[in-house]
Protein backbone atom coordinates (compact mmCIF):
# COMPACT_ATOMS: atom_id res chain seq x y z
CA UNK A 1 0.00 0.00 0.00
CA UNK A 2 1.43 3.41 -0.95
CA UNK A 3 2.23 6.04 1.65
CA UNK A 4 -0.58 8.26 0.31
CA UNK A 5 -3.16 5.46 0.73
CA UNK A 6 -1.92 4.84 4.27
CA UNK A 7 -2.35 8.51 5.10
CA UNK A 8 -5.89 8.52 3.68
CA UNK A 9 -6.83 5.50 5.76
CA UNK A 10 -5.43 7.12 8.93
CA UNK A 11 -7.39 10.31 8.32
CA UNK A 12 -10.52 8.22 7.75
CA UNK A 13 -9.98 6.23 10.96
CA UNK A 14 -9.75 9.37 13.04
CA UNK A 15 -12.71 11.10 11.52
CA UNK A 16 -15.26 11.94 14.21
CA UNK A 17 -18.23 12.49 11.89
CA UNK A 18 -20.97 9.96 11.28
CA UNK A 19 -21.12 10.51 7.52
CA UNK A 20 -18.80 8.52 5.29
CA UNK A 21 -17.50 6.27 8.07
CA UNK A 22 -14.21 4.54 7.25
CA UNK A 23 -14.48 0.91 6.17
CA UNK A 24 -11.20 -0.08 7.78
CA UNK A 25 -10.85 -2.99 10.19
CA UNK A 26 -11.03 -0.67 13.20
CA UNK A 27 -14.70 0.22 12.61
CA UNK A 28 -15.92 -3.32 12.11
CA UNK A 29 -18.94 -4.04 14.26
CA UNK A 30 -17.88 -6.14 17.23
CA UNK A 31 -20.49 -8.33 18.82
CA UNK A 32 -18.55 -8.57 22.10
CA UNK A 33 -16.96 -5.70 23.97
CA UNK A 34 -14.86 -6.37 27.10
CA UNK A 35 -15.90 -3.06 28.68
CA UNK A 36 -19.72 -3.46 28.83
CA UNK A 37 -19.56 -4.19 32.55
CA UNK A 38 -18.10 -0.70 33.16
CA UNK A 39 -21.36 0.99 32.06
CA UNK A 40 -23.06 2.77 34.99
CA UNK A 41 -26.78 3.16 34.31
CA UNK A 42 -27.24 5.11 37.56
CA UNK A 43 -25.41 8.16 36.17
CA UNK A 44 -27.07 8.22 32.75
CA UNK A 45 -29.32 11.23 32.25
CA UNK A 46 -30.51 12.08 28.73
CA UNK A 47 -32.84 14.90 29.75
CA UNK A 48 -30.28 17.67 29.37
CA UNK A 49 -29.21 19.49 26.25
CA UNK A 50 -27.21 17.30 23.91
CA UNK A 51 -24.03 19.35 23.79
CA UNK A 52 -20.36 18.64 24.45
CA UNK A 53 -19.43 19.44 28.07
CA UNK A 54 -16.12 20.98 26.92
CA UNK A 55 -16.65 22.68 23.54
CA UNK A 56 -20.45 23.24 24.02
CA UNK A 57 -21.05 22.21 20.41
CA UNK A 58 -24.21 20.29 19.44
CA UNK A 59 -22.60 18.53 16.47
CA UNK A 60 -21.75 14.83 16.72
CA UNK A 61 -22.11 14.46 20.51
CA UNK A 62 -21.42 11.22 22.36
CA UNK A 63 -22.47 10.26 25.88
CA UNK A 64 -19.87 8.46 27.99
CA UNK A 65 -21.80 5.52 29.46
CA UNK A 66 -19.37 5.22 32.39
CA UNK A 67 -19.64 8.74 33.86
CA UNK A 68 -22.66 10.14 31.97
CA UNK A 69 -20.89 13.22 30.54
CA UNK A 70 -21.26 14.38 26.93
CA UNK A 71 -18.28 14.80 24.58
CA UNK A 72 -17.82 15.58 20.90
CA UNK A 73 -16.49 13.30 18.19
CA UNK A 74 -14.54 10.06 18.38
CA UNK A 75 -11.51 10.71 16.15
CA UNK A 76 -8.04 11.00 17.72
CA UNK A 77 -8.00 14.68 18.64
CA UNK A 78 -11.62 14.86 19.77
CA UNK A 79 -12.85 15.40 23.33
CA UNK A 80 -14.48 11.94 23.57
CA UNK A 81 -11.23 10.23 22.47
CA UNK A 82 -9.14 12.26 24.94
CA UNK A 83 -11.62 11.47 27.72
CA UNK A 84 -11.51 7.74 26.99
CA UNK A 85 -7.68 7.66 27.11
CA UNK A 86 -7.30 9.96 30.14
CA UNK A 87 -10.05 8.47 32.32
CA UNK A 88 -10.14 4.90 31.03
CA UNK A 89 -13.84 5.17 30.05
CA UNK A 90 -14.45 3.15 26.90
CA UNK A 91 -18.16 2.80 25.97
CA UNK A 92 -19.89 5.73 24.23
CA UNK A 93 -23.30 6.31 22.68
CA UNK A 94 -23.85 8.65 19.73
CA UNK A 95 -26.85 10.73 20.85
CA UNK A 96 -27.99 11.30 17.27
CA UNK A 97 -27.58 7.94 15.53
CA UNK A 98 -28.13 5.85 18.74
CA UNK A 99 -25.06 3.71 17.89
CA UNK A 100 -22.63 2.45 20.54
CA UNK A 101 -18.85 2.66 20.16
CA UNK A 102 -15.77 1.54 22.06
CA UNK A 103 -13.01 4.13 22.28
CA UNK A 104 -10.10 4.56 21.77
CA UNK A 105 -10.24 1.37 19.63
CA UNK A 106 -13.05 2.98 17.59
CA UNK A 107 -15.28 0.01 16.81
CA UNK A 108 -19.08 -0.18 16.90
CA UNK A 109 -20.59 -2.29 19.66
CA UNK A 110 -23.69 -4.30 18.82
CA UNK A 111 -25.21 -5.92 21.87
CA UNK A 112 -28.87 -6.43 22.78
CA UNK A 113 -28.12 -5.74 26.46
CA UNK A 114 -27.73 -2.06 25.52
CA UNK A 115 -31.29 -1.72 24.16
CA UNK A 116 -32.61 -0.44 27.49
CA UNK A 117 -30.22 2.55 27.28
CA UNK A 118 -31.35 3.27 23.75
CA UNK A 119 -34.99 3.10 24.86
CA UNK A 120 -34.43 5.58 27.72
CA UNK A 121 -32.83 8.05 25.29
CA UNK A 122 -35.64 7.64 22.76
CA UNK A 123 -38.77 5.85 24.06
CA UNK A 124 -40.91 4.50 21.19
CA UNK A 125 -44.60 3.61 21.44
CA UNK A 126 -46.46 1.37 18.99
CA UNK A 127 -50.20 1.98 18.34
CA UNK A 128 -51.00 -1.12 20.45
CA UNK A 129 -48.90 0.14 23.35
CA UNK A 130 -50.66 3.52 23.21
CA UNK A 131 -54.05 1.77 23.40
CA UNK A 132 -52.87 -0.08 26.52
CA UNK A 133 -51.70 3.10 28.31
CA UNK A 134 -55.25 3.82 29.57
CA UNK A 135 -55.54 0.31 31.04
CA UNK A 136 -52.11 0.00 32.65
CA UNK A 137 -52.37 -0.20 36.44
CA UNK A 138 -48.88 -1.69 36.98
CA UNK A 139 -46.17 0.31 38.71
CA UNK A 140 -42.72 0.45 37.09
CA UNK A 141 -39.40 0.15 38.88
CA UNK A 142 -36.57 2.63 38.30
CA UNK A 143 -32.91 1.55 38.50
CA UNK A 144 -32.55 2.75 42.11
CA UNK A 145 -35.55 0.63 43.11
CA UNK A 146 -38.04 3.53 43.25
CA UNK A 147 -41.54 2.54 42.13
CA UNK A 148 -43.42 4.93 39.85
CA UNK A 149 -46.55 5.01 37.74
CA UNK A 150 -45.86 5.86 34.05
CA UNK A 151 -47.36 9.28 33.31
CA UNK A 152 -47.32 10.25 37.00
CA UNK A 153 -43.70 11.28 37.49
CA UNK A 154 -42.19 14.45 38.93
CA UNK A 155 -40.71 17.24 36.82
CA UNK A 156 -37.50 18.89 37.95
CA UNK A 157 -37.69 22.57 38.93
CA UNK A 158 -34.52 24.14 37.51
CA UNK A 159 -35.08 27.45 39.32
CA UNK A 160 -38.52 29.03 38.92
CA UNK A 161 -40.28 26.95 36.28
CA UNK A 162 -43.06 25.45 38.43
CA UNK A 163 -45.52 27.56 36.38
CA UNK A 164 -44.44 25.54 33.28
CA UNK A 165 -44.31 22.19 35.07
CA UNK A 166 -47.94 22.31 36.22
CA UNK A 167 -49.16 23.08 32.67
CA UNK A 168 -47.03 20.29 31.14
CA UNK A 169 -48.23 17.78 33.77
CA UNK A 170 -51.90 18.60 33.10
CA UNK A 171 -51.52 18.54 29.30
CA UNK A 172 -49.81 15.12 29.62
CA UNK A 173 -53.15 13.77 30.95
CA UNK A 174 -55.20 15.00 27.95
CA UNK A 175 -55.61 11.70 26.13
CA UNK A 176 -55.93 12.70 22.44
CA UNK A 177 -53.01 15.12 22.84
CA UNK A 178 -50.89 12.52 24.62
CA UNK A 179 -51.68 9.74 22.13
CA UNK A 180 -50.83 12.04 19.21
CA UNK A 181 -47.45 13.08 20.65
CA UNK A 182 -46.45 9.61 21.91
CA UNK A 183 -46.22 8.47 18.29
CA UNK A 184 -43.55 10.49 16.51
CA UNK A 185 -44.77 9.44 13.06
CA UNK A 186 -47.90 11.58 13.58
CA UNK A 187 -45.94 14.81 13.28
CA UNK A 188 -42.61 13.77 11.72
CA UNK A 189 -43.70 14.84 8.22
CA UNK A 190 -45.06 18.30 9.06
CA UNK A 191 -43.47 20.65 6.51
CA UNK A 192 -42.36 24.07 7.77
CA UNK A 193 -40.98 27.00 5.73
CA UNK A 194 -37.18 26.98 5.16
CA UNK A 195 -35.26 28.41 8.10
CA UNK A 196 -38.21 28.08 10.46
CA UNK A 197 -37.34 26.11 13.58
CA UNK A 198 -40.55 26.53 15.60
CA UNK A 199 -41.16 22.84 14.93
CA UNK A 200 -38.52 22.23 17.61
CA UNK A 201 -41.23 23.06 20.16
CA UNK A 202 -43.38 20.20 18.81
CA UNK A 203 -40.46 17.73 18.86
CA UNK A 204 -39.42 18.68 22.39
CA UNK A 205 -42.99 18.38 23.70
CA UNK A 206 -43.26 14.95 22.06
CA UNK A 207 -39.96 13.86 23.63
CA UNK A 208 -41.10 15.08 27.06
CA UNK A 209 -44.42 13.19 26.87
CA UNK A 210 -42.67 10.01 25.74
CA UNK A 211 -40.30 10.29 28.73
CA UNK A 212 -43.16 11.00 31.16
CA UNK A 213 -45.04 7.90 29.98
CA UNK A 214 -41.93 5.68 29.61
CA UNK A 215 -42.57 2.40 31.51
CA UNK A 216 -38.83 1.51 31.42
CA UNK A 217 -37.22 4.71 32.74
CA UNK A 218 -33.99 4.66 34.75
CA UNK A 219 -35.23 7.26 37.24
CA UNK A 220 -38.64 8.19 38.61
CA UNK A 221 -38.56 11.81 37.47
CA UNK A 222 -37.91 13.80 34.29
CA UNK A 223 -36.06 17.09 33.79
CA UNK A 224 -37.87 19.33 31.26
CA UNK A 225 -34.59 21.12 30.43
CA UNK A 226 -34.68 20.73 26.62
CA UNK A 227 -38.40 21.51 26.50
CA UNK A 228 -37.84 24.73 28.46
CA UNK A 229 -34.86 25.72 26.29
CA UNK A 230 -37.20 25.55 23.27
CA UNK A 231 -39.80 27.61 25.19
CA UNK A 232 -37.25 30.34 26.06
CA UNK A 233 -36.05 30.46 22.46
CA UNK A 234 -39.49 30.49 20.86
CA UNK A 235 -41.13 32.90 23.28
CA UNK A 236 -38.16 35.26 22.72
CA UNK A 237 -37.39 35.06 26.47
CA UNK A 238 -40.93 36.00 27.45
CA UNK A 239 -41.06 32.75 29.44
CA UNK A 240 -37.93 31.70 31.33
CA UNK A 241 -37.05 29.10 33.91
CA UNK A 242 -35.21 31.57 36.17
CA UNK A 243 -38.21 33.88 36.59
CA UNK A 244 -41.76 33.06 37.69
CA UNK A 245 -44.56 33.72 35.18
CA UNK A 246 -48.32 33.20 35.06
CA UNK A 247 -49.36 29.66 34.00
CA UNK A 248 -52.38 30.97 32.06
CA UNK A 249 -50.14 33.21 29.92
CA UNK A 250 -47.84 30.27 29.30
CA UNK A 251 -50.75 27.91 28.51
CA UNK A 252 -52.28 30.35 26.02
CA UNK A 253 -48.95 30.99 24.28
CA UNK A 254 -47.97 27.32 24.29
CA UNK A 255 -51.23 25.98 22.81
CA UNK A 256 -51.24 28.65 20.08
CA UNK A 257 -47.54 28.08 19.29
CA UNK A 258 -48.03 24.30 19.02
CA UNK A 259 -51.08 24.86 16.80
CA UNK A 260 -49.09 27.15 14.46
CA UNK A 261 -46.04 24.84 14.40
CA UNK A 262 -48.32 21.95 13.36
CA UNK A 263 -49.49 24.10 10.41
CA UNK A 264 -52.84 24.72 12.09
CA UNK A 265 -55.27 27.17 10.47
CA UNK A 266 -58.51 28.78 11.67
CA UNK A 267 -60.41 25.60 10.77
CA UNK A 268 -61.64 23.65 13.83
CA UNK A 269 -59.94 20.34 12.97
CA UNK A 270 -56.69 21.73 11.54
CA UNK A 271 -54.51 20.49 14.44
CA UNK A 272 -54.71 18.19 17.44
CA UNK A 273 -54.76 21.33 19.66
CA UNK A 274 -57.98 22.66 18.09
CA UNK A 275 -59.52 19.16 17.97
CA UNK A 276 -59.02 18.86 21.74
CA UNK A 277 -59.63 22.35 23.13
CA UNK A 278 -61.42 24.58 20.63
CA UNK A 279 -64.89 25.78 21.56
CA UNK A 280 -67.10 28.58 20.18
CA UNK A 281 -69.12 31.34 21.77
CA UNK A 282 -71.32 34.25 20.73
CA UNK A 283 -70.61 37.65 22.26
CA UNK A 284 -73.36 40.30 22.50
CA UNK A 285 -71.91 43.80 23.03
CA UNK A 286 -73.88 46.99 23.68
CA UNK A 287 -72.31 50.39 24.24
CA UNK A 288 -73.50 52.24 27.35
CA UNK A 289 -74.22 55.98 27.44
CA UNK A 290 -71.66 58.11 29.35
CA UNK A 291 -72.14 58.16 33.15
CA UNK A 292 -72.22 61.99 33.31
CA UNK A 293 -75.81 63.21 33.25
CA UNK A 294 -74.99 66.17 30.99
CA UNK A 295 -73.25 63.99 28.39
CA UNK A 296 -75.95 61.31 28.64
CA UNK A 297 -78.63 63.87 27.80
CA UNK A 298 -76.93 64.60 24.48
CA UNK A 299 -76.84 60.93 23.47
CA UNK A 300 -79.25 59.53 20.93
CA UNK A 301 -79.85 55.96 22.16
CA UNK A 302 -81.56 55.01 18.91
CA UNK A 303 -78.39 55.61 16.87
CA UNK A 304 -76.53 52.64 15.41
CA UNK A 305 -73.68 53.21 17.83
CA UNK A 306 -75.83 51.93 20.72
CA UNK A 307 -77.27 48.89 18.94
CA UNK A 308 -76.31 45.45 20.21
CA UNK A 309 -73.50 43.86 18.18
CA UNK A 310 -73.14 40.09 17.85
CA UNK A 311 -69.74 38.48 17.18
CA UNK A 312 -68.75 34.82 16.91
CA UNK A 313 -65.56 33.99 18.76
CA UNK A 314 -63.51 30.77 19.15
CA UNK A 315 -61.91 30.02 22.54
CA UNK A 316 -59.28 27.65 23.95
CA UNK A 317 -60.22 28.42 27.56
CA UNK A 318 -62.96 30.23 29.48
CA UNK A 319 -62.17 33.04 31.93
CA UNK A 320 -64.29 32.85 35.09
CA UNK A 321 -64.54 35.99 37.27
CA UNK A 322 -64.57 35.64 41.05
CA UNK A 323 -66.86 37.88 43.11
CA UNK A 324 -64.94 40.61 44.99
CA UNK A 325 -63.70 39.63 48.46
CA UNK A 326 -65.62 41.08 51.44
CA UNK A 327 -63.83 43.86 53.29
CA UNK A 328 -65.25 43.14 56.74
CA UNK A 329 -63.79 40.69 59.28
CA UNK A 330 -65.47 38.28 61.70
CA UNK A 331 -65.57 38.65 65.51
CA UNK A 332 -62.11 37.08 65.84
CA UNK A 333 -60.66 39.87 63.66
CA UNK A 334 -59.84 37.38 60.94
CA UNK A 335 -60.75 37.75 57.32
CA UNK A 336 -63.62 35.60 56.17
CA UNK A 337 -62.57 33.48 53.21
CA UNK A 338 -65.65 33.53 50.99
CA UNK A 339 -66.85 30.56 48.97
CA UNK A 340 -68.55 30.45 45.61
CA UNK A 341 -70.10 27.65 43.60
CA UNK A 342 -68.57 26.76 40.21
CA UNK A 343 -72.01 27.04 38.55
CA UNK A 344 -72.25 30.64 39.77
CA UNK A 345 -69.02 31.43 37.92
CA UNK A 346 -70.24 29.61 34.80
CA UNK A 347 -73.49 31.62 34.70
CA UNK A 348 -71.40 34.31 32.93
CA UNK A 349 -71.66 32.14 29.77
CA UNK A 350 -75.39 31.37 29.77
CA UNK A 351 -76.28 34.14 27.29
CA UNK A 352 -78.46 35.97 29.84
CA UNK A 353 -76.07 37.41 32.43
CA UNK A 354 -74.67 40.80 31.44
CA UNK A 355 -71.43 42.24 32.71
CA UNK A 356 -70.11 45.76 32.42
CA UNK A 357 -66.65 46.27 30.92
CA UNK A 358 -64.91 49.61 31.24
CA UNK A 359 -62.28 50.94 28.89
CA UNK A 360 -60.39 54.22 29.14
CA UNK A 361 -63.04 56.12 27.18
CA UNK A 362 -66.18 54.01 26.94
CA UNK A 363 -68.27 51.45 28.84
CA UNK A 364 -69.80 48.30 27.34
CA UNK A 365 -72.33 45.73 28.47
CA UNK A 366 -71.46 42.20 27.32
CA UNK A 367 -73.22 38.83 27.32
CA UNK A 368 -71.54 35.53 26.46
CA UNK A 369 -73.30 32.51 25.02
CA UNK A 370 -71.49 29.23 24.41
CA UNK A 371 -72.44 27.72 21.06
CA UNK A 372 -70.04 24.76 21.02
CA UNK A 373 -68.33 22.85 23.82
CA UNK A 374 -64.89 21.29 23.19
CA UNK A 375 -63.94 17.68 24.14
CA UNK A 376 -61.61 19.17 26.78
CA UNK A 377 -62.76 22.36 28.48
CA UNK A 378 -60.19 24.58 30.21
CA UNK A 379 -61.43 26.98 32.90
CA UNK A 380 -59.27 29.86 34.07
CA UNK A 381 -60.39 31.24 37.45
CA UNK A 382 -59.17 34.83 37.53
CA UNK A 383 -57.57 35.29 40.97
CA UNK A 384 -55.23 38.20 40.33
CA UNK A 385 -56.12 41.84 39.67
CA UNK A 386 -53.44 44.35 38.78
CA UNK A 387 -53.66 48.04 39.49
CA UNK A 388 -51.07 50.79 39.15
CA UNK A 389 -49.23 49.89 42.33
CA UNK A 390 -49.54 46.21 43.13
CA UNK A 391 -51.07 42.83 42.28
CA UNK A 392 -53.93 41.64 44.50
CA UNK A 393 -55.01 38.02 44.97
CA UNK A 394 -58.59 36.93 45.52
CA UNK A 395 -58.56 33.92 47.93
CA UNK A 396 -62.21 32.90 47.32
CA UNK A 397 -62.62 29.12 47.45
CA UNK A 398 -64.50 27.68 44.47
CA UNK A 399 -66.72 24.70 45.28
CA UNK A 400 -66.70 22.30 42.35
CA UNK A 401 -67.61 18.66 41.82
CA UNK A 402 -64.79 16.41 40.58
CA UNK A 403 -67.15 14.11 38.64
CA UNK A 404 -70.33 14.60 36.60
CA UNK A 405 -70.11 18.35 36.03
CA UNK A 406 -72.94 19.16 33.63
CA UNK A 407 -71.99 22.09 31.43
CA UNK A 408 -75.30 21.69 29.59
CA UNK A 409 -76.90 23.86 32.27
CA UNK A 410 -75.21 26.97 30.87
CA UNK A 411 -76.27 26.29 27.25
CA UNK A 412 -79.39 27.72 25.66
CA UNK A 413 -82.18 25.12 25.14
CA UNK A 414 -81.60 25.03 21.32
CA UNK A 415 -77.86 24.35 21.67
CA UNK A 416 -78.37 21.92 24.53
CA UNK A 417 -80.78 19.91 22.35
CA UNK A 418 -77.98 19.45 19.77
CA UNK A 419 -75.83 17.61 22.32
CA UNK A 420 -78.56 15.09 23.28
CA UNK A 421 -77.47 15.06 26.93
CA UNK A 422 -73.75 14.55 26.20
CA UNK A 423 -72.59 17.58 28.17
CA UNK A 424 -71.23 15.88 31.30
CA UNK A 425 -67.57 16.42 32.10
CA UNK A 426 -65.04 15.09 34.61
CA UNK A 427 -62.10 16.94 36.10
CA UNK A 428 -58.72 15.56 34.92
CA UNK A 429 -56.36 18.40 35.89
CA UNK A 430 -56.41 21.12 38.54
CA UNK A 431 -53.73 23.80 39.03
CA UNK A 432 -53.49 25.57 42.38
CA UNK A 433 -51.70 28.76 43.42
CA UNK A 434 -50.32 28.93 46.96
CA UNK A 435 -48.98 32.00 48.74
CA UNK A 436 -48.75 35.67 47.86
CA UNK A 437 -48.98 37.00 44.27
CA UNK A 438 -45.25 37.88 44.17
CA UNK A 439 -43.76 34.84 45.89
CA UNK A 440 -46.38 32.15 45.33
CA UNK A 441 -45.83 28.66 43.98
CA UNK A 442 -47.91 26.33 41.81
CA UNK A 443 -48.88 22.70 42.16
CA UNK A 444 -51.04 20.43 40.05
CA UNK A 445 -53.59 17.69 40.75
CA UNK A 446 -53.98 15.10 38.01
CA UNK A 447 -56.23 12.08 37.63
CA UNK A 448 -54.64 8.77 36.67
CA UNK A 449 -57.43 7.31 34.54
CA UNK A 450 -56.71 3.53 34.79
CA UNK A 451 -56.61 3.52 38.61
CA UNK A 452 -58.96 6.52 39.10
CA UNK A 453 -56.44 7.76 41.68
CA UNK A 454 -55.70 11.47 42.11
CA UNK A 455 -52.10 12.64 42.53
CA UNK A 456 -50.69 15.93 43.73
CA UNK A 457 -47.57 17.04 41.86
CA UNK A 458 -45.29 19.81 43.00
CA UNK A 459 -42.13 19.60 40.90
CA UNK A 460 -40.37 16.37 42.02
CA UNK A 461 -42.87 15.60 44.79
CA UNK A 462 -45.63 13.21 43.74
CA UNK A 463 -48.16 12.04 46.34
CA UNK A 464 -51.60 10.46 46.11
CA UNK A 465 -54.44 12.69 47.32
CA UNK A 466 -58.15 12.25 48.08
CA UNK A 467 -60.49 13.99 45.60
CA UNK A 468 -62.27 15.66 48.56
CA UNK A 469 -59.04 17.52 49.40
CA UNK A 470 -58.74 18.99 45.88
CA UNK A 471 -61.96 20.95 46.24
CA UNK A 472 -60.59 22.82 49.30
CA UNK A 473 -57.69 24.40 47.39
CA UNK A 474 -57.46 27.77 45.63
CA UNK A 475 -58.09 26.40 42.13
CA UNK A 476 -56.58 28.51 39.36
CA UNK A 477 -56.77 26.51 36.10
CA UNK A 478 -58.89 23.41 35.53
CA UNK A 479 -59.15 20.93 32.65
CA UNK A 480 -62.41 18.98 32.24
CA UNK A 481 -62.85 15.98 29.96
CA UNK A 482 -66.12 15.17 28.20
CA UNK A 483 -67.38 11.85 29.51
CA UNK A 484 -67.60 8.92 27.13
CA UNK A 485 -70.76 6.91 27.43
Amino acid sequence: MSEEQLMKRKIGDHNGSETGEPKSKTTKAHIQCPYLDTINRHVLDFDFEKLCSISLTRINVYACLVCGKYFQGRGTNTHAYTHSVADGHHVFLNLHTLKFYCLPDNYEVIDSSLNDIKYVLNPIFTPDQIKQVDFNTKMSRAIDGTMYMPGIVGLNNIKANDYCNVILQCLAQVRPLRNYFLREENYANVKRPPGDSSFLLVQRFGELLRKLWNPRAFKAHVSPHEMLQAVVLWSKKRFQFIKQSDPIDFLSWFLNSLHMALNGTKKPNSSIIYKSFLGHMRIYTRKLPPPDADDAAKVDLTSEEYNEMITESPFLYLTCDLPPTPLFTDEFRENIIPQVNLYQLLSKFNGQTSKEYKTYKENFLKRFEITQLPPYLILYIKRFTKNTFFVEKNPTVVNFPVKNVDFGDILTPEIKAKYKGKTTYELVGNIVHDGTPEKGTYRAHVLHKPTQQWYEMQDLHVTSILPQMITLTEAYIQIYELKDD
Side-chain angles (χ1 to χ4, degrees):
M1 189 181 285
S2 71
E3 202 173 321
E4 193 181 343
Q5 285 172 312
L6 265 170
M7 283 299 290
K8 275 183 183 173
R9 170 174 281 192
K10 276 185 181 174
I11 291 165
D13 286 353
H14 300 148
N15 183 1
S17 75
E18 282 310 300
T19 52
E21 290 247 304
K23 290 186 171 61
S24 61
K25 287 176 186 175
T26 48
T27 51
K28 265 190 181 175
H30 281 228
I31 302 301
Q32 290 175 321
C33 173
Y35 301 111
L36 290 189
D37 59 342
T38 63
I39 293 173
N40 184 358
R41 284 169 170 79
H42 290 272
V43 297
L44 299 184
D45 188 344
F46 300 124
D47 291 347
F48 291 93
E49 257 193 308
K50 314 289 190 285
L51 46 83
C52 172
S53 57
I54 296 170
S55 64
L56 303 182
T57 179
R58 286 182 176 78
I59 301 162
N60 197 31
V61 179
Y62 290 76
C64 170
L65 300 185
V66 183
C67 66
K69 290 178 183 168
Y70 296 171
F71 299 98
Q72 187 192 20
R74 64 169 202 277
T76 31
N77 294 320
T78 59
H79 300 299
Y81 185 94
T82 311
H83 173 72
S84 76
V85 173
D87 292 40
H89 296 174
H90 299 289
V91 194
F92 289 78
L93 164 63
N94 184 308
L95 295 172
H96 180 64
T97 63
L98 306 189
K99 287 181 178 178
F100 297 89
Y101 294 93
C102 183
L103 296 182
D105 301 342
N106 197 17
Y107 59 80
E108 186 183 348
V109 180
I110 296 175
D111 195 302
S112 59
S113 69
L114 301 173
N115 286 349
D116 62 332
I117 297 175
K118 208 185 283 189
Y119 193 84
V120 166
L121 175 57
N122 184 30
I124 294 166
F125 289 80
T126 63
D128 288 340
Q129 284 170 328
I130 292 173
K131 279 178 194 164
Q132 289 308 308
V133 165
D134 283 328
F135 303 100
N136 175 42
T137 55
K138 279 194 303 190
M139 303 279 277
S140 293
R141 187 187 292 274
I143 269 195
D144 61 359
T146 313
M147 301 300 287
Y148 71 95
M149 183 65 79
I152 309 289
V153 292
L155 280 175
N156 202 2
N157 189 343
I158 296 161
K159 188 171 179 192
N161 54 283
D162 52 328
Y163 74 96
C164 284
N165 287 357
V166 288
I167 294 293
L168 297 172
Q169 290 282 23
C170 287
L171 291 180
Q173 305 302 322
V174 175
R175 285 187 293 169
L177 197 68
R178 178 202 67 199
N179 294 352
Y180 178 84
F181 279 99
L182 284 184
R183 192 135 173 80
E184 208 175 350
E185 287 81 53
N186 290 335
Y187 48 91
N189 298 321
V190 173
K191 295 278 185 289
R192 296 293 298 161
D196 176 273
S197 59
S198 64
F199 191 64
L200 192 68
L201 206 61
V202 175
Q203 288 171 312
R204 292 284 179 264
F205 186 53
E207 281 169 20
L208 182 72
L209 287 193
R210 292 203 301 280
K211 284 175 180 174
L212 284 174
W213 287 93
N214 181 4
R216 305 197 297 235
F218 284 174
K219 51 190 183 5
H221 66 270
V222 175
S223 178
H225 194 267
E226 285 195 289
M227 172 80 238
L228 295 174
Q229 289 281 30
V231 166
V232 173
L233 178 72
W234 270 98
S235 66
K236 297 183 174 63
K237 297 191 179 175
R238 180 180 159 195
F239 299 105
Q240 301 188 27
F241 44 78
I242 53 170
K243 197 174 78 183
Q244 187 75 282
S245 291
D246 194 329
I248 194 66
D249 293 342
F250 174 66
L251 176 68
S252 177
W253 172 84
F254 188 58
L255 291 181
N256 282 301
S257 300
L258 280 181
H259 174 69
M260 300 296 285
L262 290 165
N263 290 339
T265 61
K266 289 183 179 179
K267 291 178 180 171
N269 289 336
S270 57
S271 82
I272 188 67
I273 304 296
Y274 272 20
K275 281 179 190 170
S276 305
F277 300 112
L278 189 72
H280 286 272
M281 65 163 76
R282 206 169 280 144
I283 305 172
Y284 300 87
T285 311
R286 195 159 57 80
K287 190 177 172 185
L288 291 174
D292 298 345
D294 297 342
D295 293 346
K298 298 172 191 168
V299 167
D300 177 15
L301 291 174
T302 56
S303 70
E304 251 182 63
E305 194 183 354
Y306 291 95
N307 287 353
E308 191 166 63
M309 285 170 59
I310 302 172
T311 49
E312 298 285 338
S313 172
F315 66 85
L316 288 173
Y317 64 86
L318 295 175
T319 304
C320 299
D321 305 310
L322 288 171
T325 47
L327 299 171
F328 54 83
T329 56
D330 61 12
E331 63 266 30
F332 300 110
R333 305 297 249 162
E334 288 176 6
N335 283 322
I336 296 168
I337 295 179
Q339 297 190 15
V340 63
N341 193 298
L342 179 70
Y343 289 109
Q344 276 174 265
L345 301 185
L346 292 173
S347 64
K348 170 183 174 180
F349 305 102
N350 62 10
Q352 257 99 63
T353 311
S354 297
K355 189 167 188 261
E356 193 175 335
Y357 288 83
K358 295 178 180 179
T359 62
Y360 177 63
K361 284 183 176 176
E362 299 163 323
N363 296 354
F364 295 93
L365 208 58
K366 290 192 176 188
R367 290 186 294 128
F368 302 91
E369 182 187 319
I370 291 178
T371 53
Q372 189 184 337
L373 288 168
Y376 284 81
L377 185 63
I378 302 175
L379 295 185
Y380 157 50
I381 297 163
K382 197 173 178 185
R383 288 202 175 272
F384 300 107
T385 46
K386 292 177 187 170
N387 60 28
T388 320
F389 305 104
F390 55 88
V391 180
E392 211 171 356
K393 181 181 173 183
N394 188 330
T396 302
V397 171
V398 179
N399 296 320
F400 56 88
V402 173
K403 284 182 178 292
N404 301 325
V405 187
D406 191 359
F407 284 95
D409 297 349
I410 57 170
L411 301 177
T412 57
E414 309 88 75
I415 290 160
K416 192 174 179 179
K418 272 198 316 189
Y419 282 96
K420 297 175 182 164
K422 291 184 181 175
T423 52
T424 308
Y425 284 73
E426 284 191 355
L427 188 69
V428 290
N430 182 54
I431 292 170
V432 177
H433 179 270
D434 299 310
T436 60
E438 300 80 23
K439 294 181 179 173
T441 55
Y442 295 95
R443 56 196 161 104
H445 299 121
V446 297
L447 175 65
H448 184 246
K449 293 287 280 189
T451 55
Q452 286 295 304
Q453 172 66 55
W454 279 92
Y455 289 90
E456 179 171 280
M457 298 169 130
Q458 189 158 17
D459 301 326
L460 293 176
H461 302 287
V462 178
T463 49
S464 57
I465 186 171
L466 292 168
Q468 297 89 313
M469 301 302 291
I470 296 168
T471 58
L472 304 175
T473 55
E474 294 177 6
Y476 189 52
I477 299 170
Q478 299 185 318
I479 301 181
Y480 288 89
E481 178 187 51
L482 184 65
K483 261 178 84 171
D484 297 330
D485 288 341

